[in-house]
Amino acid sequence: MIKRLDASQWNRSAIFENYLDVDFPYINIGARVDVTGLLDHCRREGLSFYFALVFIACKTADRIENFHYRFDEEGPFRIEKNAPICTHLPKGEDLFVMLEGADTEDLRTFCLDLRKKADDPALRQTLNVEFRKDIINFSCLPWVDYSHFVRTIRKLGRDSNPKMSWGKYTTENGRTSLNLSVQVHHGLMDGFHVGR
């Protein structure tokens, strides 16, 4: 369900209009994030760390108002809830597939549902999934401890879905961390919102 935003009442109207016709209206912030507790929890519970991080990141985004903003040809609107879509590289293959996370408040249920989809080729989605405005795209490059990552944009200036990516995690002095990149349309949010 979407709710159209009234430009006369929306506090970002002027900023949104300013960035609407910019050649590259995106901000991409990369930051080192401590994931020690989540990794330990996943190991104890036998859950996929990747799927768990998708769950946590999407739930975090859902608590931040600006991550609900999108726009189309008719203008800006607010979605009710973000749907996580993540890439997955099946074992023994070199082409990734897309998996949609379940709409649940339970981490275990979410991770087990994605594991089932990852293990069953019939439940995977291709890249030709219908373009939706309610998704956050997630991906991971577990082979590289990168410092920054710019994601593919469906249509430059018109793609308003947030994108999150992270690389290989590393452990130092008993703490585990990874670089997390968040890419968003600047007309819909600022670095302040991404930082939260």
Side-chain angles (χ1 to χ4, degrees), residues 106-149:
D106 181 66
L107 174 66
R108 173 171 286 283
T109 301
F110 183 87
C111 291
L112 294 178
D113 174 73
L114 277 181
R115 174 54 52 209
K116 180 179 178 184
K117 291 172 180 173
D119 292 341
D120 185 348
L123 299 176
R124 300 175 190 160
Q125 297 176 325
T126 67
L127 287 176
N128 295 326
V129 293
E130 182 181 341
F131 185 61
R132 293 169 36 191
K133 290 288 189 178
D134 66 336
I135 63 174
I136 295 180
N137 297 100
F138 293 93
S139 69
C140 176
L141 283 83
W143 315 276
V144 182
D145 182 21
Y146 66 83
S147 60
H148 211 71
F149 187 75

Tab-separated table of all heavy atoms in Angstrom, residues 106-149:
chain	number	residue	atom	x	y	z
A	106	ASP	N	10.217	-12.408	13.114
A	106	ASP	CA	11.057	-13.392	13.783
A	106	ASP	C	12.302	-13.706	12.953
A	106	ASP	O	12.190	-14.163	11.809
A	106	ASP	CB	10.247	-14.671	14.024
A	106	ASP	CG	11.051	-15.728	14.745
A	106	ASP	OD1	11.407	-15.506	15.912
A	106	ASP	OD2	11.339	-16.765	14.116
A	107	LEU	N	13.465	-13.479	13.535
A	107	LEU	CA	14.736	-13.703	12.838
A	107	LEU	C	14.886	-15.142	12.368
A	107	LEU	O	15.267	-15.396	11.220
A	107	LEU	CB	15.903	-13.312	13.753
A	107	LEU	CG	17.310	-13.625	13.238
A	107	LEU	CD1	17.631	-12.786	12.011
A	107	LEU	CD2	18.332	-13.382	14.335
A	108	ARG	N	14.612	-16.096	13.236
A	108	ARG	CA	14.767	-17.516	12.880
A	108	ARG	C	13.867	-17.887	11.697
A	108	ARG	O	14.311	-18.519	10.740
A	108	ARG	CB	14.461	-18.405	14.083
A	108	ARG	CG	14.428	-19.900	13.737
A	108	ARG	CD	14.332	-20.775	14.953
A	108	ARG	NE	15.584	-20.819	15.673
A	108	ARG	CZ	16.640	-21.533	15.286
A	108	ARG	NH1	16.592	-22.236	14.180
A	108	ARG	NH2	17.751	-21.517	15.977
A	109	THR	N	12.604	-17.493	11.763
A	109	THR	CA	11.659	-17.784	10.674
A	109	THR	C	12.159	-17.188	9.359
A	109	THR	O	12.124	-17.827	8.312
A	109	THR	CB	10.262	-17.239	11.012
A	109	THR	OG1	9.813	-17.844	12.228
A	109	THR	CG2	9.270	-17.505	9.905
A	110	PHE	N	12.636	-15.958	9.423
A	110	PHE	CA	13.143	-15.269	8.240
A	110	PHE	C	14.312	-16.037	7.630
A	110	PHE	O	14.341	-16.305	6.421
A	110	PHE	CB	13.583	-13.847	8.623
A	110	PHE	CG	14.068	-13.012	7.482
A	110	PHE	CD1	13.182	-12.270	6.722
A	110	PHE	CD2	15.419	-12.955	7.166
A	110	PHE	CE1	13.631	-11.484	5.660
A	110	PHE	CE2	15.879	-12.175	6.120
A	110	PHE	CZ	14.978	-11.434	5.359
A	111	CYS	N	15.288	-16.384	8.455
A	111	CYS	CA	16.491	-17.076	7.971
A	111	CYS	C	16.164	-18.457	7.409
A	111	CYS	O	16.692	-18.857	6.359
A	111	CYS	CB	17.528	-17.194	9.081
A	111	CYS	SG	18.272	-15.619	9.551
A	112	LEU	N	15.298	-19.200	8.088
A	112	LEU	CA	14.952	-20.547	7.616
A	112	LEU	C	14.156	-20.489	6.314
A	112	LEU	O	14.330	-21.339	5.437
A	112	LEU	CB	14.195	-21.314	8.697
A	112	LEU	CG	15.013	-21.633	9.955
A	112	LEU	CD1	14.153	-22.361	10.977
A	112	LEU	CD2	16.275	-22.416	9.628
A	113	ASP	N	13.293	-19.478	6.176
A	113	ASP	CA	12.542	-19.310	4.929
A	113	ASP	C	13.488	-19.022	3.763
A	113	ASP	O	13.357	-19.608	2.677
A	113	ASP	CB	11.528	-18.175	5.087
A	113	ASP	CG	10.821	-17.858	3.781
A	113	ASP	OD1	9.972	-18.659	3.357
A	113	ASP	OD2	11.137	-16.800	3.174
A	114	LEU	N	14.459	-18.124	3.975
A	114	LEU	CA	15.417	-17.826	2.906
A	114	LEU	C	16.295	-19.035	2.598
A	114	LEU	O	16.635	-19.271	1.433
A	114	LEU	CB	16.287	-16.622	3.268
A	114	LEU	CG	15.680	-15.255	3.002
A	114	LEU	CD1	16.645	-14.146	3.381
A	114	LEU	CD2	15.240	-15.093	1.557
A	115	ARG	N	16.660	-19.813	3.608
A	115	ARG	CA	17.455	-21.023	3.371
A	115	ARG	C	16.680	-21.995	2.490
A	115	ARG	O	17.222	-22.579	1.557
A	115	ARG	CB	17.835	-21.682	4.713
A	115	ARG	CG	18.532	-23.028	4.592
A	115	ARG	CD	19.772	-23.051	3.715
A	115	ARG	NE	20.716	-22.028	4.072
A	115	ARG	CZ	21.564	-21.457	3.210
A	115	ARG	NH1	21.586	-21.799	1.933
A	115	ARG	NH2	22.402	-20.528	3.608
A	116	LYS	N	15.382	-22.150	2.764
A	116	LYS	CA	14.542	-23.037	1.956
A	116	LYS	C	14.502	-22.545	0.508
A	116	LYS	O	14.640	-23.331	-0.433
A	116	LYS	CB	13.127	-23.097	2.543
A	116	LYS	CG	12.181	-23.988	1.775
A	116	LYS	CD	10.811	-24.012	2.442
A	116	LYS	CE	9.840	-24.870	1.649
A	116	LYS	NZ	8.493	-24.841	2.223
A	117	LYS	N	14.328	-21.255	0.322
A	117	LYS	CA	14.291	-20.688	-1.029
A	117	LYS	C	15.645	-20.834	-1.717
A	117	LYS	O	15.714	-21.112	-2.918
A	117	LYS	CB	13.885	-19.217	-0.974
A	117	LYS	CG	12.438	-19.012	-0.569
A	117	LYS	CD	12.125	-17.548	-0.347
A	117	LYS	CE	10.667	-17.378	0.069
A	117	LYS	NZ	10.350	-16.003	0.465
A	118	ALA	N	16.712	-20.659	-0.963
A	118	ALA	CA	18.057	-20.772	-1.543
A	118	ALA	C	18.351	-22.197	-1.993
A	118	ALA	O	19.021	-22.411	-3.008
A	118	ALA	CB	19.103	-20.325	-0.521
A	119	ASP	N	17.835	-23.171	-1.257
A	119	ASP	CA	18.114	-24.578	-1.554
A	119	ASP	C	17.200	-25.178	-2.617
A	119	ASP	O	17.482	-26.243	-3.147
A	119	ASP	CB	18.007	-25.422	-0.275
A	119	ASP	CG	19.112	-25.101	0.718
A	119	ASP	OD1	20.142	-24.515	0.305
A	119	ASP	OD2	18.948	-25.428	1.912
A	120	ASP	N	16.090	-24.514	-2.929
A	120	ASP	CA	15.125	-25.042	-3.894
A	120	ASP	C	15.081	-24.137	-5.129
A	120	ASP	O	14.526	-23.040	-5.071
A	120	ASP	CB	13.739	-25.122	-3.248
A	120	ASP	CG	12.711	-25.777	-4.153
A	120	ASP	OD1	12.975	-25.969	-5.367
A	120	ASP	OD2	11.614	-26.092	-3.647
A	121	PRO	N	15.661	-24.592	-6.249
A	121	PRO	CA	15.684	-23.760	-7.467
A	121	PRO	C	14.308	-23.260	-7.911
A	121	PRO	O	14.199	-22.192	-8.496
A	121	PRO	CB	16.291	-24.690	-8.520
A	121	PRO	CG	17.091	-25.676	-7.735
A	121	PRO	CD	16.334	-25.874	-6.439
A	122	ALA	N	13.263	-23.999	-7.604
A	122	ALA	CA	11.916	-23.595	-8.014
A	122	ALA	C	11.433	-22.358	-7.254
A	122	ALA	O	10.521	-21.662	-7.703
A	122	ALA	CB	10.934	-24.746	-7.802
A	123	LEU	N	12.047	-22.070	-6.101
A	123	LEU	CA	11.608	-20.944	-5.280
A	123	LEU	C	12.444	-19.680	-5.502
A	123	LEU	O	12.157	-18.641	-4.931
A	123	LEU	CB	11.654	-21.325	-3.796
A	123	LEU	CG	10.751	-22.485	-3.388
A	123	LEU	CD1	10.964	-22.828	-1.920
A	123	LEU	CD2	9.287	-22.145	-3.652
A	124	ARG	N	13.456	-19.790	-6.321
A	124	ARG	CA	14.318	-18.633	-6.589
A	124	ARG	C	13.687	-17.738	-7.640
A	124	ARG	O	12.886	-18.179	-8.452
A	124	ARG	CB	15.684	-19.102	-7.094
A	124	ARG	CG	16.419	-19.974	-6.113
A	124	ARG	CD	17.691	-20.494	-6.742
A	124	ARG	NE	18.288	-21.523	-5.912
A	124	ARG	CZ	19.159	-22.407	-6.358
A	124	ARG	NH1	19.536	-22.393	-7.617
A	124	ARG	NH2	19.656	-23.299	-5.538
A	125	GLN	N	14.092	-16.474	-7.639
A	125	GLN	CA	13.604	-15.534	-8.635
A	125	GLN	C	14.727	-15.185	-9.594
A	125	GLN	O	15.900	-15.232	-9.244
A	125	GLN	CB	13.096	-14.258	-7.959
A	125	GLN	CG	11.916	-14.509	-7.055
A	125	GLN	CD	11.497	-13.245	-6.317
A	125	GLN	OE1	12.315	-12.439	-5.952
A	125	GLN	NE2	10.207	-13.094	-6.119
A	126	THR	N	14.367	-14.842	-10.809
A	126	THR	CA	15.364	-14.427	-11.785
A	126	THR	C	15.510	-12.916	-11.726
A	126	THR	O	14.765	-12.225	-11.037
A	126	THR	CB	14.930	-14.832	-13.213
A	126	THR	OG1	13.765	-14.075	-13.566
A	126	THR	CG2	14.627	-16.325	-13.303
A	127	LEU	N	16.441	-12.393	-12.483
A	127	LEU	CA	16.622	-10.944	-12.540
A	127	LEU	C	15.462	-10.249	-13.222
A	127	LEU	O	15.345	-9.038	-13.166
A	127	LEU	CB	17.919	-10.607	-13.269
A	127	LEU	CG	19.193	-10.898	-12.502
A	127	LEU	CD1	20.406	-10.599	-13.374
A	127	LEU	CD2	19.262	-10.073	-11.242
A	128	ASN	N	14.592	-11.005	-13.873
A	128	ASN	CA	13.473	-10.404	-14.587
A	128	ASN	C	12.246	-10.202	-13.705
A	128	ASN	O	11.149	-10.041	-14.205
A	128	ASN	CB	13.102	-11.283	-15.790
A	128	ASN	CG	14.216	-11.318	-16.812
A	128	ASN	OD1	14.909	-10.327	-16.996
A	128	ASN	ND2	14.412	-12.448	-17.448
A	129	VAL	N	12.437	-10.202	-12.370
A	129	VAL	CA	11.289	-9.962	-11.500
A	129	VAL	C	10.753	-8.567	-11.784
A	129	VAL	O	11.501	-7.649	-12.113
A	129	VAL	CB	11.655	-10.101	-9.999
A	129	VAL	CG1	12.010	-11.516	-9.660
A	129	VAL	CG2	12.750	-9.146	-9.610
A	130	GLU	N	9.446	-8.427	-11.666
A	130	GLU	CA	8.825	-7.127	-11.913
A	130	GLU	C	9.428	-6.086	-10.976
A	130	GLU	O	9.583	-6.311	-9.783
A	130	GLU	CB	7.323	-7.230	-11.682
A	130	GLU	CG	6.581	-5.957	-11.952
A	130	GLU	CD	5.085	-6.091	-11.694
A	130	GLU	OE1	4.592	-7.217	-11.655
A	130	GLU	OE2	4.433	-5.051	-11.541
A	131	PHE	N	9.793	-4.938	-11.530
A	131	PHE	CA	10.399	-3.884	-10.725
A	131	PHE	C	9.365	-3.346	-9.748
A	131	PHE	O	8.294	-2.905	-10.128
A	131	PHE	CB	10.916	-2.765	-11.627
A	131	PHE	CG	11.663	-1.704	-10.879
A	131	PHE	CD1	12.815	-2.013	-10.175
A	131	PHE	CD2	11.207	-0.400	-10.867
A	131	PHE	CE1	13.504	-1.036	-9.482
A	131	PHE	CE2	11.892	0.582	-10.180
A	131	PHE	CZ	13.046	0.260	-9.482
A	132	ARG	N	9.706	-3.418	-8.481
A	132	ARG	CA	8.803	-2.986	-7.420
A	132	ARG	C	9.390	-1.803	-6.680
A	132	ARG	O	10.601	-1.672	-6.566
A	132	ARG	CB	8.571	-4.142	-6.442
A	132	ARG	CG	7.803	-5.283	-7.056
A	132	ARG	CD	7.789	-6.533	-6.197
A	132	ARG	NE	7.733	-6.287	-4.771
A	132	ARG	CZ	7.925	-7.243	-3.866
A	132	ARG	NH1	8.180	-8.478	-4.233
A	132	ARG	NH2	7.874	-6.960	-2.577
A	133	LYS	N	8.528	-0.977	-6.126
A	133	LYS	CA	8.967	0.212	-5.389
A	133	LYS	C	9.025	-0.026	-3.890
A	133	LYS	O	9.387	0.865	-3.142
A	133	LYS	CB	8.018	1.384	-5.678
A	133	LYS	CG	8.125	1.916	-7.081
A	133	LYS	CD	9.401	2.676	-7.274
A	133	LYS	CE	9.414	3.392	-8.607
A	133	LYS	NZ	10.629	4.163	-8.795
A	134	ASP	N	8.669	-1.212	-3.416
A	134	ASP	CA	8.654	-1.459	-1.975
A	134	ASP	C	9.871	-2.249	-1.491
A	134	ASP	O	9.908	-2.680	-0.350
A	134	ASP	CB	7.377	-2.195	-1.569
A	134	ASP	CG	7.288	-3.599	-2.147
A	134	ASP	OD1	7.929	-3.872	-3.185
A	134	ASP	OD2	6.571	-4.431	-1.559
A	135	ILE	N	10.864	-2.416	-2.333
A	135	ILE	CA	11.978	-3.271	-1.940
A	135	ILE	C	13.225	-2.485	-1.533
A	135	ILE	O	13.415	-1.339	-1.928
A	135	ILE	CB	12.358	-4.274	-3.057
A	135	ILE	CG1	12.840	-3.550	-4.314
A	135	ILE	CG2	11.206	-5.185	-3.389
A	135	ILE	CD1	13.358	-4.469	-5.399
A	136	ILE	N	14.025	-3.145	-0.731
A	136	ILE	CA	15.403	-2.745	-0.497
A	136	ILE	C	16.233	-3.879	-1.065
A	136	ILE	O	16.005	-5.047	-0.750
A	136	ILE	CB	15.724	-2.540	0.997
A	136	ILE	CG1	14.932	-1.365	1.570
A	136	ILE	CG2	17.227	-2.300	1.184
A	136	ILE	CD1	15.187	-1.103	3.043
A	137	ASN	N	17.177	-3.543	-1.932
A	137	ASN	CA	18.058	-4.540	-2.534
A	137	ASN	C	19.263	-4.771	-1.630
A	137	ASN	O	19.925	-3.811	-1.231
A	137	ASN	CB	18.550	-4.072	-3.907
A	137	ASN	CG	17.425	-3.893	-4.893
A	137	ASN	OD1	16.976	-2.784	-5.125
A	137	ASN	ND2	16.955	-4.975	-5.457
A	138	PHE	N	19.561	-6.038	-1.340
A	138	PHE	CA	20.703	-6.402	-0.518
A	138	PHE	C	21.643	-7.297	-1.302
A	138	PHE	O	21.194	-8.144	-2.084
A	138	PHE	CB	20.245	-7.166	0.732
A	138	PHE	CG	19.458	-6.341	1.692
A	138	PHE	CD1	18.064	-6.303	1.627
A	138	PHE	CD2	20.090	-5.597	2.674
A	138	PHE	CE1	17.334	-5.533	2.520
A	138	PHE	CE2	19.369	-4.828	3.565
A	138	PHE	CZ	17.984	-4.800	3.485
A	139	SER	N	22.939	-7.115	-1.082
A	139	SER	CA	23.915	-8.030	-1.667
A	139	SER	C	25.154	-8.081	-0.781
A	139	SER	O	25.352	-7.214	0.074
A	139	SER	CB	24.297	-7.611	-3.090
A	139	SER	OG	25.049	-6.415	-3.065
A	140	CYS	N	25.953	-9.101	-1.013
A	140	CYS	CA	27.146	-9.307	-0.198
A	140	CYS	C	28.274	-9.823	-1.083
A	140	CYS	O	28.047	-10.623	-1.987
A	140	CYS	CB	26.833	-10.325	0.900
A	140	CYS	SG	28.249	-10.765	1.915
A	141	LEU	N	29.464	-9.329	-0.839
A	141	LEU	CA	30.672	-9.834	-1.493
A	141	LEU	C	31.573	-10.398	-0.388
A	141	LEU	O	32.473	-9.716	0.090
A	141	LEU	CB	31.412	-8.711	-2.230
A	141	LEU	CG	30.823	-8.278	-3.555
A	141	LEU	CD1	29.699	-7.293	-3.347
A	141	LEU	CD2	31.899	-7.687	-4.417
A	142	PRO	N	31.314	-11.614	0.050
A	142	PRO	CA	32.039	-12.163	1.205
A	142	PRO	C	33.498	-12.486	0.926
A	142	PRO	O	34.226	-12.875	1.827
A	142	PRO	CB	31.245	-13.432	1.531
A	142	PRO	CG	30.646	-13.843	0.230
A	142	PRO	CD	30.346	-12.553	-0.494
A	143	TRP	N	33.947	-12.289	-0.300
A	143	TRP	CA	35.328	-12.602	-0.680
A	143	TRP	C	36.240	-11.388	-0.556
A	143	TRP	O	37.447	-11.511	-0.611
A	143	TRP	CB	35.374	-13.109	-2.128
A	143	TRP	CG	34.310	-14.111	-2.398
A	143	TRP	CD1	34.367	-15.451	-2.127
A	143	TRP	CD2	33.017	-13.863	-2.949
A	143	TRP	NE1	33.179	-16.042	-2.472
A	143	TRP	CE2	32.328	-15.094	-2.987
A	143	TRP	CE3	32.360	-12.715	-3.396
A	143	TRP	CZ2	31.030	-15.216	-3.462
A	143	TRP	CZ3	31.068	-12.841	-3.868
A	143	TRP	CH2	30.423	-14.083	-3.906
A	144	VAL	N	35.632	-10.183	-0.419
A	144	VAL	CA	36.414	-8.951	-0.463
A	144	VAL	C	36.080	-8.076	0.746
A	144	VAL	O	34.918	-7.792	1.017
A	144	VAL	CB	36.101	-8.147	-1.758
A	144	VAL	CG1	36.942	-6.888	-1.833
A	144	VAL	CG2	36.288	-9.006	-2.992
A	145	ASP	N	37.109	-7.626	1.456
A	145	ASP	CA	36.918	-6.663	2.539
A	145	ASP	C	37.088	-5.273	1.933
A	145	ASP	O	38.121	-4.643	2.070
A	145	ASP	CB	37.941	-6.914	3.658
A	145	ASP	CG	37.762	-5.959	4.833
A	145	ASP	OD1	36.664	-5.393	4.975
A	145	ASP	OD2	38.731	-5.777	5.587
A	146	TYR	N	36.074	-4.823	1.221
A	146	TYR	CA	36.154	-3.553	0.510
A	146	TYR	C	35.818	-2.386	1.426
A	146	TYR	O	35.258	-2.557	2.499
A	146	TYR	CB	35.235	-3.557	-0.710
A	146	TYR	CG	33.756	-3.628	-0.376
A	146	TYR	CD1	33.046	-2.483	-0.036
A	146	TYR	CD2	33.056	-4.831	-0.434
A	146	TYR	CE1	31.699	-2.535	0.259
A	146	TYR	CE2	31.707	-4.894	-0.139
A	146	TYR	CZ	31.043	-3.739	0.203
A	146	TYR	OH	29.702	-3.797	0.496
A	147	SER	N	36.146	-1.186	0.972
A	147	SER	CA	35.840	-0.008	1.773
A	147	SER	C	34.618	0.740	1.250
A	147	SER	O	34.005	1.517	1.975
A	147	SER	CB	37.039	0.937	1.829
A	147	SER	OG	37.391	1.349	0.529
A	148	HIS	N	34.252	0.523	-0.016
A	148	HIS	CA	33.122	1.236	-0.589
A	148	HIS	C	32.599	0.455	-1.785
A	148	HIS	O	33.351	-0.233	-2.464
A	148	HIS	CB	33.547	2.635	-1.017
A	148	HIS	CG	32.446	3.639	-0.902
A	148	HIS	ND1	31.981	4.097	0.308
A	148	HIS	CD2	31.708	4.262	-1.834
A	148	HIS	CE1	31.007	4.972	0.100
A	148	HIS	NE2	30.831	5.083	-1.192
A	149	PHE	N	31.305	0.597	-2.067
A	149	PHE	CA	30.689	-0.170	-3.146
A	149	PHE	C	29.537	0.637	-3.725
A	149	PHE	O	28.650	1.075	-2.981
A	149	PHE	CB	30.174	-1.500	-2.576
A	149	PHE	CG	29.673	-2.463	-3.597
A	149	PHE	CD1	30.547	-3.162	-4.390
A	149	PHE	CD2	28.318	-2.691	-3.747
A	149	PHE	CE1	30.087	-4.080	-5.338
A	149	PHE	CE2	27.839	-3.590	-4.684
A	149	PHE	CZ	28.729	-4.291	-5.474
